[in-house]
Amino acid sequence: MTVLYTAQWVLPVATSPIQDGAVAVAEGRIVAVGSEAEVRARLARLGALETVALGRAALCPGFVNVHSHLELTALRGRLEDLSFFDWIRTLTRLRGEQMAAADLEVSAQWGVVEAARAGITTLADTETSGAGFRALCQGGLRGIAYQEVFGPDPMQAKKSLTGLKRRLEALRPAETDLVRLGISPHAVYSVSSLLFRLVIEYAERQALPVAIHCAESQAEDDFLRSGQGPFAQFLRERGIAWTPPRVSTIRYLSDLNVLRVKPLLIHAVRATEEDIGLLTFHGASVAHCPKSNAKFGHGIAPVSRMRQRGVRVGLGTDSVASNNVCDLLDEGRFAQLLSRATQGDGQLLPAAALLQWMTLDGACALGLDDRIGTLEVGKEADLVGISLAGPHLEPVYDPVAALVTAATGRDVVLTVVQGRVIYDGQRVLTLDEDRLREHLRQFAGRLGTVHGT
């Protein structure tokens, strides 16, 4: 059956907006894009079409979120106003001591519900439990579930790698065409140089994508350049020797030959001009998470320079334990305003470029641009419909500008992944929202009784 999605505006990203447009979908792929009249005439030989009429709405490619932590969704609002180091330490304690396996599963599934309701069709998730991977599969979204590995002590490197292999081998049989696995050596302060080398070699052998938290904070910079700060102190207290390389994070990863696998580098807030050159040379991608970085006071990643020099940069929300919402429209608007305010240029990231950043550029950063990111014949049908009828959106002079400057995830009325309706404007159809909400509230009640942060 061919399904015809119609809307006042179709925004293909690859081409100009189409008024009174339509997108035809069959067997999970886009088979026609154009004005409704043209598409109906083109497909007349098929007879009656199943039509989904969105009315006063915009239809565009699904949003691509290049960094999240679904398993942490249940900690939203629980870790406010902490320093970055204390935030990490408290989060690790709460996750380890207070979140049972069932809590992690529900937390990740609720994260998928939130993402689907906000028109996010693809997530690059970073996790330790496998709950994010399973939630993506169960919820019907597209994604990469990067399995984290930790180990700052080189004496424990082989043990850490063995544990990572065991987790991956248990999950790999469940990979699908939509959801695949990756590896994430967490960060330079939590992974020894030996473990980095072992993990990268394993990723190459297994053809697994790699993501790394990178150049995120002043504390990380101090750790590498001078061997000082909370991360260095943390290692010293545990008797782990650390000789600082006295270079930036990105230079350090380049010197370790980690960048040869073209990893997704998460944050890159403190990237220097030299670092950007290394990213360009190696073909690494960057996940830009402006709201999370701002919340911690880390600063602003030089993404304009990165994009100018050809680095593939996607937008990520990070976890809702730090953001606190999974809404790429909101994230994109914040990124645009932040760039304009700091660079004194009110024309940076015009509306069309910002919509492309949320869709095609994210797909490029994840190596999925041959499958998704634009509305084109032959591509997989990942679609999002956004109502333009709200009082905060009227009047609409330019649908793209209206979308990126005023719409939020709450305006989404349809989310489709590979031709399958995941969210119909009322409920997520692939997960039991009521059951998840009740479990989440019970968990919050239990966690609320824990003394101290």
Side-chain angles (χ1 to χ4, degrees):
M1 169 64 76
T2 300
V3 181
L4 192 68
Y5 294 95
T6 67
Q8 183 182 23
W9 291 99
V10 168
L11 312 178
V13 172
T15 57
S16 300
I18 303 167
Q19 190 166 10
D20 298 323
V23 177
V25 175
E27 297 181 352
R29 292 189 177 273
I30 297 170
V31 296
V33 181
S35 71
E36 182 178 354
E38 291 170 345
V39 172
R40 285 191 181 278
R42 201 177 310 158
L43 300 179
R45 59 183 175 77
L46 298 178
L49 301 172
E50 179 182 339
T51 299
V52 177
L54 299 179
R56 191 161 179 75
L59 188 64
C60 69
F63 300 129
V64 180
N65 183 348
V66 300
H67 182 55
S68 66
H69 292 272
L70 292 171
E71 66 183 7
L72 303 181
T73 303
L75 295 178
R76 186 198 324 260
R78 188 61 175 79
L79 303 166
E80 300 301 305
D81 303 324
L82 298 174
S83 71
F84 183 53
F85 181 75
D86 288 340
W87 183 88
I88 291 177
R89 186 168 55 182
T90 306
L91 181 149
T92 302
R93 177 176 61 81
L94 290 177
R95 181 173 57 188
E97 297 177 4
Q98 303 296 331
M99 297 187 75
D103 299 324
L104 290 166
E105 298 292 329
V106 167
S107 182
Q109 289 175 40
W110 193 249
V112 166
V113 167
E114 182 178 6
R117 280 177 163 268
I120 294 169
T121 55
T122 300
L123 285 157
D125 194 57
T126 306
E127 60 164 349
T128 59
S129 66
F133 172 75
R134 288 184 287 272
L136 287 169
C137 293
Q138 293 160 354
L141 297 190
R142 188 186 301 273
I144 303 172
Y146 295 98
Q147 302 305 299
E148 285 186 304
V149 60
F150 300 82
D153 187 349
M155 300 296 290
Q156 298 295 316
K158 291 185 178 178
K159 181 179 179 181
S160 295
L161 180 64
T162 298
L164 174 66
K165 288 180 178 179
R166 188 179 300 116
R167 284 190 284 134
L168 283 163
E169 288 165 2
L171 293 171
R172 291 205 83 169
E175 281 186 304
T176 70
D177 181 55
L178 287 175
V179 185
R180 63 178 301 202
L181 291 162
I183 297 177
S184 178
H186 174 256
V188 294
Y189 51 81
S190 57
V191 175
S192 68
S193 60
L194 176 58
L195 183 54
F196 262 120
R197 292 190 180 101
L198 294 175
V199 168
I200 295 305
E201 289 170 3
Y202 178 68
E204 286 184 309
R205 291 195 302 271
Q206 297 294 318
L208 291 162
V210 176
I212 305 166
H213 289 78
C214 169
E216 185 175 1
S217 65
Q218 181 66 53
E220 181 182 332
D221 212 42
D222 292 342
F223 175 74
L224 281 170
R225 293 186 183 275
S226 65
Q228 300 300 316
F231 293 125
Q233 179 64 28
F234 181 80
L235 295 192
R236 284 195 292 269
E237 290 172 354
R238 283 151 184 77
I240 300 172
W242 170 248
T243 302
R246 303 191 183 282
V247 296
S248 71
T249 297
I250 292 171
R251 166 56 71 181
Y252 176 65
L253 293 176
S254 178
D255 291 346
L256 288 179
N257 206 17
V258 168
L259 299 186
R260 71 180 188 268
V261 297
K262 297 178 173 57
L264 176 69
L265 299 181
I266 303 160
H267 301 301
V269 172
R270 305 192 69 80
T272 65
E273 198 67 25
E274 179 196 25
D275 292 336
I276 295 172
L278 290 170
L279 297 178
T280 304
F281 177 78
H282 289 285
S285 300
V286 169
H288 180 42
C289 306
K291 289 178 65 183
S292 180
N293 295 334
K295 183 168 181 174
F296 286 121
H298 289 330
I300 305 164
V303 289
S304 293
R305 287 292 298 141
M306 292 179 189
R307 288 161 61 89
Q308 288 168 6
R309 297 185 63 179
V311 179
R312 294 170 298 175
V313 182
L315 278 171
T317 59
D318 210 336
S319 78
V320 299
S322 65
N323 184 312
N324 296 40
V325 294
C326 184
D327 184 338
L328 214 64
L329 283 164
D330 192 46
E331 198 77 36
R333 182 159 49 251
F334 185 81
Q336 181 204 55
L337 296 176
L338 201 61
S339 294
R340 290 183 175 190
T342 56
Q343 296 185 47
D345 184 350
Q347 294 181 309
L348 274 178
L349 286 170
L354 189 53
L355 180 59
Q356 179 176 311
W357 201 1
M358 300 174 192
T359 53
L360 180 59
D361 289 355
C364 287
L366 300 180
L368 296 172
D369 48 303
D370 61 331
R371 300 178 66 179
I372 60 170
T374 58
L375 302 183
E376 296 181 85
V377 172
K379 282 201 170 181
E380 296 179 27
D382 288 12
L383 319 171
V384 56
I386 303 103
S387 172
L388 298 176
H392 58 293
L393 288 157
E394 297 277 14
V396 175
Y397 298 103
D398 176 342
V400 178
L403 197 69
V404 301
T405 61
T408 73
R410 296 180 183 88
D411 296 307
V412 169
V413 293
L414 177 74
T415 302
V416 176
V417 178
Q418 207 178 55
R420 180 188 184 189
V421 176
I422 305 298
Y423 173 60
D424 66 359
Q426 299 296 320
R427 300 182 67 81
V428 170
L429 305 180
T430 51
L431 294 166
D432 186 341
E433 292 191 28
D434 292 337
R435 179 186 66 82
L436 296 173
R437 184 181 287 106
E438 180 58 29
H439 186 117
L440 205 66
R441 288 174 176 172
Q442 290 178 7
F443 169 77
R446 296 198 309 272
L447 195 63
T449 65
V450 178
H451 295 294
T453 301

